[in-house]
């Protein structure tokens, strides 16, 4: 594993309301996760870091869904 640290510090990214702003993109054979104007370069990330991002994202989505369901229940 390399010692690459995330490059964006002390920033908050609001994903907004348009899910189309979030997508996978490939440029010159390199993969990116695009979050609006931010891109995550997948080639500079370890598989373990990408797996953790997927896990945390799934947990955040599940928690948000549960909160919304409790509001309407």
């Amino acid at each position: 594993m390399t010692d690459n640290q995330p490059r964006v510090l002390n920033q908050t990214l609001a994903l907004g309301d348009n899910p189309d702003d979030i997508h996978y993109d490939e440029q010159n054979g390199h993969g990116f996760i695009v979050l609006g104007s931010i891109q995550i370069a997948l080639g500079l990330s370890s598989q373990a870091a990408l797996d953790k991002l997927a896990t945390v994202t799934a947990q955040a989505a599940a928690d948000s869904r549960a909160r919304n369901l409790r509001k309407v229940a």
Side-chain angles (χ1 to χ4, degrees):
M1 184 167 24
T2 62
D3 194 22
N4 287 335
Q5 299 296 317
R7 301 291 193 267
V8 178
L9 301 174
N10 300 322
Q11 297 295 317
T12 299
L13 172 66
L15 294 178
D17 294 332
N18 186 0
D20 292 335
D21 286 345
I22 303 168
H23 61 277
Y24 172 79
D25 192 20
E26 204 168 295
Q27 300 170 13
N28 298 321
H30 302 284
F32 295 87
I33 295 173
V34 180
L35 307 170
S37 62
I38 302 293
Q39 295 184 350
I40 299 173
L42 303 180
L44 300 175
S45 305
S46 71
Q47 186 63 52
L50 294 174
D51 290 344
K52 180 70 175 219
L53 176 63
T55 300
V56 169
T57 302
Q59 182 64 50
D63 289 352
S64 177
R65 186 173 296 112
R67 272 192 310 278
N68 289 334
L69 288 172
R70 282 191 298 271
K71 286 179 186 176
V72 298

